[in-house]
Amino acid sequence: LHTAYRRQRQMCIRDSTQLRGMSMATNYLYGTIPSTIAQLQETEVVDFANNFLTGTIPSDLGSLSKCRAIYFYNNFLNGTLPMALGDMHELRVMKFTLNMLTGTLPEEFSKLIHLRLLYLGANQFHGTIPASYGNLQNITTLYLYDNQFTGGLPSTLTNLTQINTLRVDQNYLSGPLPDYIGNFTSLVILELDQNSFTGTIPYSIVKLGNKLQNLYIELNMLTGTIPTEICSMYSLTTLDFGVNMLTGTIPDLSLIHI
């Protein structure tokens, strides 16, 4: 089901037991998400991205047990993430980036063991990153950037060995950068900048040299030296260690393409 009404004044969803996907993205829809969306029990994709939706996310959305992807990014949604979304056990994709959502991250999301893409960046979430999210072992992309998260990176995230994009930049995270980052050998993008991380750059980071392209660690409180072996990370195209408290010499970066 696809709509292209540029002057949409009211959103109406009719019950259809056969509807497999709903795409209403990039229109001029406004108003709230109707709770009647929960009647579409066969729906596998719900896409309301890039609209002007307001209000909260209905808990009834969590009853869509066959849904594999939900897209609500770039709207004006507020309130918290319903715990009931953790009951969407077939979910592979959840995108709520660029809204005005608040509160903490639900522990119940740790039950979404098939989840591969989790986009929660550019909201107003606070609190710590739940340690239970280490259960999301199929995650390939995790966007938590531009929020108000505090605390450190949980040790349980070491289990996210399939991750290729990790963005936790623009938060209030602190503590040392964990050595387990070097275990994320599929990483292409790693953005840790604009936080309050302390300690040294973990030597294990040089193990990411085969795939890592973008590495941002600027605007933290890191100390110590830059590992000289970083010059062997041939896949790097962007590297930023600026505005820290690093000492020593800058490694010869002439062999990498930055």
Side-chain angles (χ1 to χ4, degrees), residues 214-228:
N214 299 337
L215 175 58
Y216 296 92
I217 314 183
E218 77 273 14
L219 289 162
N220 279 288
M221 296 186 290
L222 299 174
T223 56
T225 60
I226 301 173
T228 56

Side-chain angles (χ1 to χ4, degrees), residues 230-236 239 252-258:
I230 204 167
C231 61
S232 65
M233 299 176 70
Y234 303 123
S235 59
L236 277 179
L239 173 64
D252 179 8
L253 304 177
S254 60
L255 296 179
I256 56 180
H257 305 288
I258 58 176

